[in-house]
Amino acid sequence: MKREEIVMLCTSDLGGQVRGKGFPARDYETRLRKGIGWTPTNSMITAHGPIAPSPWGPFGDTVLVPDPDTHVRVDFGPDHAAENFIMGDICLLDGTPWPVCPRSFLKRVVAALEERHGLCVRAAFEHEFIYDGVDERPNASYALDAFRRQDLFAETYLGALQQAGLELDTFMPEYGPMQYEVTVGPAVGLKAADQAVAVRETARAVATRLGGRVSFTPILRPDAVGNGVHVHFSLFEAGTGQPVNHDPDHKDGLSDTAGAFISGILAKMPSITALTAASTISYLRLTPNRWSAAYNNLGYRDREAGVRICPVFAGNGADISRQYHFEFRAADAAASPYLVLGAILASGLHGLDRGLPIAQVCEGAPQSLPARDLERLGITRLPQSLDAALDLFEADADMDGMIGAELKQAYLAHKRFEASLMRDLSDEDQCSRYRAAY
Ligand code: GLU
Ligand code: MG
């Protein structure tokens, strides 16, 4: 039987879902120029199916314009379709970015960071997920047995990532039941988020071909540990490529530049969790004693800090300034990587624009500190529901210039509707819905 390959041209949308339209692979060159028509209201399709009230209704036209740098093609042999997709920007008909496009939002912030401060970011996403090709057993944490039981998944995944041009850093059985973690090497700016999309979609592609499924749901069950997305990042000078994060004379090693950037992120973390932890059940994960993040604190090697200063290996004359970096822990995969990285960078940019002072490291767990210490350190509990996070996000106008009114309004309408769909369900039922949707 004759087969013809199809390329899916996609966007990672407001709900972090990858959606798009397919075209014959032989039309690739033409489609790079022409793109494919896309409907504004598609942005209001929630992860659970129903469409949030749309400001556009049935009206309007946009175009998905592919970026050839994001093309992923993975051969799965004669018995399966190849995986073949490419990411695009949602543009207006004149080719300018549609203000609601998540990828274009990240591009705006990356450009502003360079224009205003001469800085670029290098970032790597760590993704935790559930693989249902193994059965649930107690005490699988980091276990060789849990690695073995996933059988062909990891090797096929590594091969697929290589075909997709991605370099696997680590793959491991994580703490939770059926939970695994994957990290690829860092990339600069937009590319880091493109890679995050490709890493998740390639995991889905492999699991599907093996007859199973992966889920990047923020938390499997209310009593489980979460599936976090931890974003590692560092800044460097656009002109010289020199890292600017480390100052050996500062007690915790922070340079003034990194200090202002991190203080911006800490100040905005309560409102941007609406973008980085974008599901109702994300807030079951963002609770103390779960190794996620529950406060907007800066931690030194603390795996429950909102932002963690990561360890450096000082042996063998290694250059600390090149290793010294940070990790944002209050994100999960219910959010588009473009919105996650865009929100982190927009917050950091806010800190740089204001020249915020370097924040103090929080010693110990914030939940056990007296209220006056938290106040002195400027530490607050992160919002405890998606609705609360959305209210904070709406009220915070500091980054409106970067986000734009149309994206902000569309996002709020989308997510408030999603929260209303979950309102009458138990936590367990919400977890089941998100597991199926992500
Ligand atoms: N599973 C934890 C989370 O929800 C993270 C564990 C770790 O430090 O890797 O973020
Ligand atoms: Mg982990």
Side-chain angles (χ1 to χ4, degrees), residues 126-209:
E126 249 176 69
H127 313 256
E128 294 171 338
F129 61 95
I130 305 299
Y131 176 47
D132 71 3
V134 293
D135 36 76
E136 188 172 343
R137 291 209 197 146
N139 192 26
S141 317
Y142 307 106
L144 176 58
D145 180 59
F147 178 78
R148 186 183 295 126
R149 282 186 291 117
Q150 51 72 31
D151 196 12
L152 283 177
F153 177 82
E155 287 188 7
T156 315
Y157 191 24
L158 173 54
L161 289 170
Q162 277 168 352
Q163 280 193 64
L166 296 157
E167 229 175 275
L168 181 73
D169 184 50
T170 49
F171 176 89
M172 69 188 80
E174 246 286 358
Y175 178 81
M178 304 184 287
Q179 191 183 35
Y180 293 86
E181 176 181 307
V182 60
T183 306
V184 298
V188 173
L190 180 70
K191 187 156 190 210
D194 286 335
Q195 286 195 351
V197 174
V199 165
R200 286 181 207 161
E201 293 311 311
T202 305
R204 296 185 203 285
V206 170
T208 304
R209 301 312 187 281

Side-chain angles (χ1 to χ4, degrees), residues 15 92 111 158 177 180 277 332 359 373:
L92 296 167
L158 173 54
Y180 293 86
D332 62 49
D373 287 2

Side-chain angles (χ1 to χ4, degrees), residues 58-82:
F59 296 100
D61 279 296
T62 52
V63 195
L64 260 174
V65 181
D67 179 342
D69 288 347
T70 65
H71 187 199
V72 167
R73 187 186 178 284
V74 181
D75 202 331
F76 283 99
D79 296 335
H80 296 282

Side-chain angles (χ1 to χ4, degrees), residues 126 128 142 172 174-176 179 181 218-219 225-230 285-286 290-293 303-304 308 327 329-332:
E126 249 176 69
E128 294 171 338
Y142 307 106
M172 69 188 80
E174 246 286 358
Y175 178 81
Q179 191 183 35
E181 176 181 307
I219 192 164
V225 293
N227 283 323
V229 168
H230 305 158
R285 171 179 166 257
L286 296 183
R290 240 185 249 261
W291 291 52
S292 60
R303 285 195 172 70
E304 286 203 3
R308 178 171 86 113
E327 178 189 35
R329 293 181 68 87
D332 62 49

